[in-house]
Amino acid sequence: NCPQSEILWLFAAREKWKTQGNADEARNILQEAFKYNPESERIWLAAARLETDQKEYKRARQLLQRAREKSGTGKVFVKSV
């Protein structure tokens, strides 16, 4: 009902990831969130954090590269470093 609500997507992904331990389902939720919020700094950074915590560093780097292209905020650049 609220596809542009970043916080709802982030809560759903966090619930799957942190509470239920299902990183794959959290990835799916964040991928769906990108469709509706392609420039969301918060969603890009959450996806990169998920990959970093899962020790998927190559995926995290790829996400941060796309985040710099799509969002391009200062915070995205700082987190990329």
Side-chain angles (χ1 to χ4, degrees):
N1 291 331
C2 306
Q4 276 76 35
S5 177
E6 294 175 347
I7 196 73
L8 293 177
W9 289 110
L10 294 170
F11 279 144
R14 184 175 186 166
E15 175 67 22
K16 293 291 181 183
W17 174 24
K18 295 287 185 174
T19 306
Q20 297 178 15
N22 191 337
D24 289 332
E25 189 61 32
R27 281 186 191 101
N28 292 337
I29 290 169
L30 292 171
Q31 285 177 349
E32 187 71 16
F34 287 135
K35 292 178 188 177
Y36 299 103
N37 304 281
E39 297 177 7
S40 171
E41 170 189 274
R42 294 169 75 186
I43 294 173
W44 282 108
L45 293 177
R49 189 176 325 114
L50 169 68
E51 298 304 344
T52 301
D53 285 356
Q54 296 297 306
K55 304 211 184 321
E56 293 287 344
Y57 301 116
K58 184 176 180 180
R59 280 178 151 176
R61 282 187 205 101
Q62 291 170 342
L63 281 166
L64 288 169
Q65 179 180 352
R66 286 190 303 204
R68 289 189 304 271
E69 294 166 2
K70 297 278 187 181
S71 177
T73 65
K75 191 171 185 176
V76 168
F77 280 93
V78 169
K79 292 289 184 177
S80 293
V81 174

